[in-house]
Every structure is written in structure tokens, then in C-alpha cells.
Amino acid sequence: MKQLILCCLCAMILFSCSEGKDTPAPAVLIDSYAAKYMVHPKRGAFYTHLGTYTLEYKNGKVNKRTGVPECMVNGSCQEQPAVIDEVSYRDNIIRIANKSSMEDWGILREEWLYGLKNHDQPAYLIYKAENRRMYDSLSYIYHTNGKLNKIEGFSIYRDEVELVVNRDIAKDFFFDASGNLERVETRRILDDDGFVLHVVVEKFENYDNAVNPFKGMFMFEDTYYRSLSQNNFRRYRKEEIEVRSGAVISSHGKDWMLEYDAAGRPVFDKP
């Protein structure tokens, strides 16, 4: 695993230094979407704000997203439409970096680098923020049929002397016969022996039969879960379960009444 992490870090350095070759990317079928329809892999469905994200394209690929909630270096967050996620493609790597159009605003600078297995499948993700010495990394593992099997998360500390890698999270993914995501089970690993205290189970239900416009939108955290399915889920449930007793510690859920256009496509930009 350290070899993979080193490859990821090297790719990140090469991206910033070389011109490289353009990277293929999947087609995306939307121009904007409201955050209230999304589910975040870490925070679930209730993190969402009331804003709408707008996408811009270059050469058929998403190259800019505006409307991102701005997080300040001091840890506070607020909605700030001037904040932009810029997306660039090179050498089978997708890089996302945020910025603000407002000078001296104190925005927390963040960067995401995806190394691709295929044009629509990430192999790894490296995340870094300017106020942290640690990196976060995700490794994506697939079944032979191409469906996602597992994501493993790592915390990485790297300085001039050493590289320390700790596996701290594992997500297992389950799909139905139609290719729609049924559930995700997340285990936070607390020590080197793999001890797990709680399991988070997320369920995705009440799918429609319409085309999913978010296929190909794996590069943004809030659209990732929606990007995995053939159709569109309209119900989400999340439970945190204590492993030893089986007791449900917390739970929440959300249902959406989707609207559809004249062609039968779901509309996700309703405020």
C-alpha cells in the first residue's frame, strides 16, 4: 500500500510540473443541480445547503463548478457564490482546486487529485488542504464486472524523513441486478488490529426508471453516490450501529419528490 501512496504523491507532483497529455472524461448530462438532492459520503443527506451549483464545460468536459460553500481557514463555513472549483485533466489524473474571486478573503485552499483506472472510474484520490500536514487518500477496488466493490481510506503523514500510512476507514458497496446502488457499509478502523466500534449503513431506495444524469460525476464528493447507479434513488436512510451490541445509535433519512421534464429526465436544479 505504501507503494500505491508513493505513486499517488508522485503523480500529484508530476501533475503540477509537466504539461502531459489530455485525459479522457465521461460525458455529463447536466448544467446545474441543487445541493439539497445530494448525499455526502461523510455527512449524509443533512449536510446540504440551499444553494445551486452551476457547471461549465470545455471540450465536452466539466472544467468549472461555481456556487461552492466557502470554508474559511478558521474552520467556519458560509455560502459564497464567488467560490469556484476548477477542474483540469492530464495524464489520467483529474485535479480539482478551489479558489475565490474575492481578493484576500481567507479561503481555505483545498485540492483533490484523482488517478483514473478508466475514464469513468477513479483508482485513487489524494486530498490535501493548506491548514493540514496530513494527506487523505482513498483507494478504489472493483469487481471483475467493473462494479465498485470497496473503498479504503488512509491518513498519510509525509515529511523529509518518513512516510507514515494508516488505514482508517473501509466502505463496502452493494448493487442490485439493475446496476443501482443498494447500500454502503462504512467501518471506521481504530487501530492496527482492525478494531471497529461502529458500522454506518446507508441505504438507497425507491429508484425510478429514468436515465441518471449524474453518471460521470464521480469527481465531486456530493455527487459521487448518485454517479454510481443506472437510475435515480428517491429515498435515503442512514443508521449508525454499535458492533458489539447491535444497537442503533443514530439514524436519519430523506425522501425526494423528483420532477421530470417532457423527455422523462429528472430535474435536479429545483431550489
Side-chain angles (χ1 to χ4, degrees), residues 5-224:
I5 299 302
L6 284 171
C7 289
C8 298
L9 294 173
C10 289
M12 189 161 57
I13 294 170
L14 288 172
F15 189 102
S16 61
C17 297
S18 67
E19 301 219 349
K21 297 179 181 179
D22 191 41
T23 298
V28 177
L29 304 177
I30 58 174
D31 295 320
S32 62
Y33 66 91
K36 68 179 183 179
Y37 296 103
M38 300 301 112
V39 175
H40 195 282
K42 296 177 182 176
R43 297 184 288 275
F46 287 165
Y47 90 99
T48 49
H49 60 98
L50 299 178
T52 298
Y53 296 86
T54 300
L55 304 176
E56 297 181 30
Y57 294 82
K58 182 178 181 181
N59 298 327
K61 296 184 288 192
V62 177
N63 76 317
K64 189 177 293 186
R65 182 176 72 156
T66 59
V68 182
E70 184 168 78
C71 290
M72 315 303 288
V73 174
N74 64 12
S76 64
C77 295
Q78 60 183 314
E79 292 180 25
Q80 176 52 258
V83 176
I84 298 167
D85 279 341
E86 293 186 321
V87 188
S88 49
Y89 306 80
R90 191 162 63 231
D91 291 334
N92 287 321
I93 297 173
I94 298 177
R95 175 180 180 266
I96 302 173
N98 63 349
K99 73 172 189 177
S100 175
S101 61
M102 304 177 71
E103 297 292 335
D104 301 323
W105 193 243
I107 182 176
L108 175 64
R109 300 303 300 270
E110 299 172 279
E111 187 175 28
W112 298 260
L113 285 105
Y114 289 90
L116 301 184
K117 174 181 173 67
N118 294 304
H119 74 285
D120 60 350
Q121 291 181 319
Y124 65 81
L125 164 66
I126 292 283
Y127 165 77
K128 62 177 182 177
E130 67 174 332
N131 64 342
R132 302 176 63 207
R133 292 183 62 87
M134 299 282 292
Y135 296 89
D136 289 330
S137 177
L138 299 180
S139 174
Y140 299 77
I141 302 165
Y142 297 87
H143 292 291
T144 54
N145 64 4
K147 278 295 182 184
L148 182 65
N149 178 22
K150 185 187 294 287
I151 292 178
E152 294 188 332
F154 301 86
S155 297
I156 307 161
Y157 177 82
R158 178 175 180 260
D159 59 21
E160 296 80 5
V161 178
E162 64 177 346
L163 174 71
V164 178
V165 179
N166 294 313
R167 185 167 73 106
D168 56 14
I169 198 169
K171 287 178 173 282
D172 294 301
F173 290 75
F174 302 88
F175 294 82
D176 64 19
S178 299
N180 291 321
L181 180 64
E182 283 191 325
R183 74 181 191 277
V184 178
E185 296 181 0
T186 302
R187 294 163 176 80
R188 185 164 296 280
I189 300 163
L190 301 180
D191 58 30
D192 293 339
D193 295 327
F195 179 74
V196 175
L197 187 61
H198 299 156
V199 175
V200 175
V201 179
E202 298 170 280
K203 296 181 180 180
F204 305 83
E205 304 169 333
N206 193 21
Y207 278 89
D208 62 15
N209 295 314
V211 172
N212 176 8
F214 287 95
K215 288 187 71 66
M217 287 280 285
F218 63 83
M219 69 283 292
F220 300 119
E221 286 183 298
D222 61 332
T223 60
Y224 182 69

